[in-house]
Amino acid sequence: MRTRVEFLLLALIWGASFALYRVAIPELGLPLTVGLRLALASAALLAVFGWPLRAVAPPERGRVLFWLLLAGAGSTALPFVLFAETVMRSSAGFAAVLNATSPLFSALLGVWVWREAVSRSKQLGLLLGFAGVAVLATLREVGTLRVGMDAVALGLAGAASYGLCVQWVKRRLHDVEASAVATGFSLVGALLLLPWALTSLPDHLPSGRALLAVAVLGLVSTALANALYFRLVGRMGATQALSVTFLIPPFAMLWGHLLFDERPTLAMLASTVVILVGTALSLGWRRTSGR
């Protein structure tokens, strides 16, 4: 029961992050918004959990640090920037649908790179999932706005980065505490993005609304969410935990509608269904949903 509650809460929190970008970025700019998000998250996680290498045996610290740096960059700094840009070029719901392809990329990389077993249902799921992406890319409309292929490409690149890093965590950091991984990833992302953020300061003082949005992004959508996510990875497995993206698009569409009156189109809804059904099959969801 606890796992299911945390799973649902995580989807609600991450769904809100897409809409919060639309609140903060117009006033603070993308670099500062994302940089502050990760800086706040790092400060909170360090305060709660301490230095991420504290519980790692000295002989293992070099290896763990390398993978924290590599996977941290690929699961925070890079995809956060890509999805923030995707949101600003489309909508919260549209970006969240692209984000939902992360488990597909994880499963595909597992098959191609690490030679994981692939059943017929997984093959069908991968085909269906990417067919849904094709539908979304072909009929890329958000209300009266025609979304460019650049937004689709940015979102898919972010999703692929998430999928790859999930595999790295599964294989290279499985013996590291979830709290240490979450802290290390946020810290790496903050260190990478803050120099860019500090050269992109706004000319005017941001509103309280924008600052509140950044605070929620950092402390709730990143610090709390990452801690929840890596707890789920430890309980459910890496790819299964990433299936939280099943629930993010509906929540993102809801937040987008409540905050900006965004309305999902039929193409978005249809592609979401196809992507999520394909993802469920590719993950063998029927066999693992009882955990």
Side-chain angles (χ1 to χ4, degrees), residues 1-188:
M1 180 64 181
R2 183 177 61 180
T3 296
R4 293 178 181 178
V5 170
E6 291 181 2
F7 194 86
L8 185 63
L9 178 61
L10 182 58
L12 175 67
I13 291 171
W14 270 344
S17 66
F18 292 92
L20 290 171
Y21 275 142
R22 295 183 64 83
V23 177
I25 289 175
E27 294 192 45
L28 281 81
L30 188 152
L32 187 58
T33 296
V34 180
L36 284 176
R37 175 184 183 179
L38 287 167
L40 287 169
S42 300
L45 290 169
L46 283 170
V48 174
F49 298 116
W51 184 247
L53 297 178
R54 73 194 186 286
V56 178
E60 291 293 308
R61 286 179 182 172
R63 174 188 65 85
V64 171
L65 179 60
F66 172 80
W67 287 106
L68 282 177
L69 290 171
L70 188 60
S75 65
T76 55
L78 178 60
F80 278 26
V81 169
L82 292 174
F83 275 112
E85 188 65 40
T86 301
V87 167
M88 299 310 295
R89 297 185 186 206
S90 55
S91 71
F94 190 93
V97 175
L98 294 175
N99 179 73
T101 63
S102 299
L104 287 175
F105 283 106
S106 178
L108 187 64
L109 288 165
V111 172
W112 280 3
V113 178
W114 287 281
R115 305 300 181 187
E116 292 180 354
V118 53
S119 63
R120 290 184 178 180
S121 65
K122 179 176 282 190
Q123 292 176 5
L124 176 61
L126 289 171
L127 288 173
L128 273 177
F130 286 108
V133 173
V135 171
L136 186 68
T138 302
L139 305 173
R140 51 188 189 280
E141 296 179 355
V142 178
T144 59
L145 173 66
R146 178 73 173 177
V147 178
M149 277 300 299
D150 54 344
V152 176
L154 288 169
L156 291 179
S161 186
Y162 278 137
L164 175 60
C165 290
V166 161
Q167 292 289 349
W168 281 343
V169 170
K170 174 182 175 181
R171 287 170 166 79
R172 304 298 184 182
L173 295 171
H174 61 87
D175 54 344
V176 181
E177 291 181 6
S179 59
V181 175
T183 304
F185 280 11
S186 294
L187 186 58
V188 168

Side-chain angles (χ1 to χ4, degrees), residues 200-250:
S200 307
L201 297 176
D203 297 327
H204 59 280
L205 185 66
S207 67
R209 184 170 181 259
L211 293 174
L212 177 61
V214 171
V216 174
L217 278 167
L219 300 176
V220 180
S221 296
T222 310
L224 176 60
N226 279 356
L228 286 173
Y229 173 67
F230 287 109
R231 277 163 58 96
L232 291 172
V233 169
R235 293 181 197 159
M236 304 171 66
T239 303
Q240 296 299 328
L242 194 59
S243 64
V244 69
T245 52
F246 287 3
L247 298 178
I248 292 176

